């Protein structure tokens, strides 16, 4: 495949999205002002908004960027783990230990709360991000059931939600307390639950 | 005790706080504008801000109001339950089934995310609200241990955080999906965990 260098305009656009992701993830979409974004990018208002049709569009693209980074960080090293139970456990560990480069906590949690009663475009992106995460975990569980690593009869959606909810809720506590303790406790609880309720012990 | 009727000014102040609580809990503290608040209260800017030193003060009072309502809703009917294990289970059920009168989801989750990187006063109020909730659950666990209803050796803070994190994270999912399924699943998981890991079976 031939690599084409992105145009100057495309590079600038990407840089704005990246700065907006960092700004909005810390301050929220209402709290992150155009002035902040001008300062972060060194661009004038016109230089920013000629790349986007609206603040909503920029917010959606910034969320996608932030989510992509977070999602990738959580899946670090998963491919080299053959067993699906261990893979799910590593995903949980990654959530606690591998923080994405974009500051401000989990973009999904932030955006879910932020777009809850206001920005339907952004809310739609958050809903799809959640769906993607649920699907990723569910597919690991389903594969584990097929391979005999995970017990039959596990409710894949329910377990995926249990993992996501425990981690996101613990992140809320951890950020308020400025301590990772709640996150580490949540991971330990999930690991224990997975070992006793999920892993097919007969196979060992 | 003699009941004194609150002055007209105090009544207006309370009405503003109540409207601000509803507005900020839905839209966030940045997203809820003065215009929205003027519309909701029927007051002019001066009529609103002569009661408060700043938007931050109003935001903090609005949060306290919203949190008090939520916290009360979650503790409904707890006093009539004698056993502490059942009390904790009812608290979890209340979180799912008894929604507070103030719309927009859990004020703690909303405010924790909203005040995370910006409003230190508001963040401090959210941190204290979390602490109050943790303490409430921990005291029920501790009482249950003393009375022999709950096994010795349970880590009270860890369990309190597990309950809070699972419910708040499930609420994030439920609000994105516009379905209570994730919340009901989280409550069922917690109930099961409490029965098997917490309740002192020897005592039965």
């Amino acid at each position: 495949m031939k690599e084409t260098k992105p145009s100057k305009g495309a590079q600038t656009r990407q840089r704005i999205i990246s700065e907006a992701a960092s700004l909005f993830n810390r301050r929220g979409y209402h709290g992150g002002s155009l002035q902040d974004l001008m300062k972060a990018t060194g661009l004038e208002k016109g230089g920013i908004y000629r790349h986007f049709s609206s603040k909503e569009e920029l917010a959606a693209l910034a969320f996608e960027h932030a989510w992509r980074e977070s999602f990738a960080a959580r899946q670090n090293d998963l491919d080299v783990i053959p067993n699906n139970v261990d893979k799910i456990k590593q995903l949980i560990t990654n959530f606690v230990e591998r923080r994405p480069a974009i500051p401000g906590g989990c973009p999904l949690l932030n955006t879910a709360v932020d777009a809850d009663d206001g920005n339907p475009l952004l809310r739609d992106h958050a809903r799809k991000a959640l769906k993607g995460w649920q699907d990723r975990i569910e597919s690991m569980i389903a594969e584990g059931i097929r391979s005999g690593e995970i017990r039959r009869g596990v409710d894949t959606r329910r377990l995926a939600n249990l993992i996501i909810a425990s981690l996101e809720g613990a992140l809320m506590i951890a950020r308020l307390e400025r301590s990772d303790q709640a996150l580490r406790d949540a991971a330990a609880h999930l690991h224990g639950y997975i070992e006793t309720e999920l892993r097919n012990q007969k196979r060992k």
Side-chain angles (χ1 to χ4, degrees), chain A:
Chain A
M1 217 165 78
K2 194 181 152 195
E3 256 192 46
T4 46
K5 205 183 160 194
S7 68
K8 186 95 191 295
Q11 280 179 42
T12 304
R13 189 170 180 274
Q14 191 47 50
R15 189 161 63 84
I16 299 167
I17 292 171
S18 166
E19 292 291 352
S22 167
L23 176 67
F24 291 155
N25 203 45
R26 282 178 293 121
R27 301 270 186 87
Y29 296 99
H30 294 291
S33 70
L34 182 60
Q35 279 68 34
D36 296 325
L37 196 57
M38 284 161 61
K39 209 175 153 193
T41 56
L43 295 167
E44 297 296 319
K45 182 177 172 175
I48 292 174
Y49 276 110
R50 71 210 237 343
H51 295 280
F52 310 97
S53 63
S54 63
K55 192 182 179 186
E56 281 65 37
E57 192 203 358
L58 174 58
L61 290 164
F63 168 71
E64 287 300 328
H65 177 80
W67 178 246
R68 211 160 34 237
E69 298 261 326
S70 297
F71 202 58
R74 289 169 197 172
Q75 296 194 75
N76 216 292
D77 296 334
L78 289 200
D79 288 345
V80 299
I81 301 173
N83 184 298
N84 283 287
V85 178
D86 299 324
K87 224 176 237 195
I88 295 167
K89 287 177 77 179
Q90 185 62 43
L91 182 86
I92 292 163
T93 303
N94 284 348
F95 188 97
V96 179
E97 290 180 4
R98 288 193 174 265
R99 300 302 165 79
I102 291 165
C106 177
L108 178 60
L109 180 62
N110 294 345
T111 305
V113 167
D114 212 8
D116 199 14
D117 302 89
N119 188 331
L121 178 68
L122 196 52
R123 194 184 173 283
D124 198 47
H125 281 259
R127 207 183 45 72
K128 279 179 192 147
L130 170 63
K131 177 82 169 55
W133 195 13
Q134 288 167 330
D135 288 349
R136 181 79 184 90
I137 299 175
E138 284 189 69
S139 81
M140 287 192 275
I141 302 168
E143 240 177 83
I145 293 174
R146 270 195 298 275
S147 66
E149 295 154 353
I150 294 177
R151 288 181 195 177
R152 288 180 187 285
V154 168
D155 183 331
T156 59
R157 172 56 53 106
R158 191 173 162 174
L159 184 71
N161 279 346
L162 178 71
I163 293 170
I164 294 169
S166 305
L167 292 174
E168 294 287 359
L171 181 63
M172 178 203 79
I173 297 173
R175 290 187 64 84
L176 270 182
E177 294 188 334
R178 295 212 167 112
S179 150
D180 282 353
Q181 193 56 52
L183 265 177
R184 286 196 301 269
D185 286 348
H189 171 76
L190 289 171
H191 281 186
Y193 182 79
I194 284 168
E195 280 300 334
T196 54
E197 301 294 324
L198 227 72
R199 198 190 288 276
N200 194 351
Q201 307 291 350
K202 288 179 203 149
R203 205 167 165 265
K204 265 185 181 167

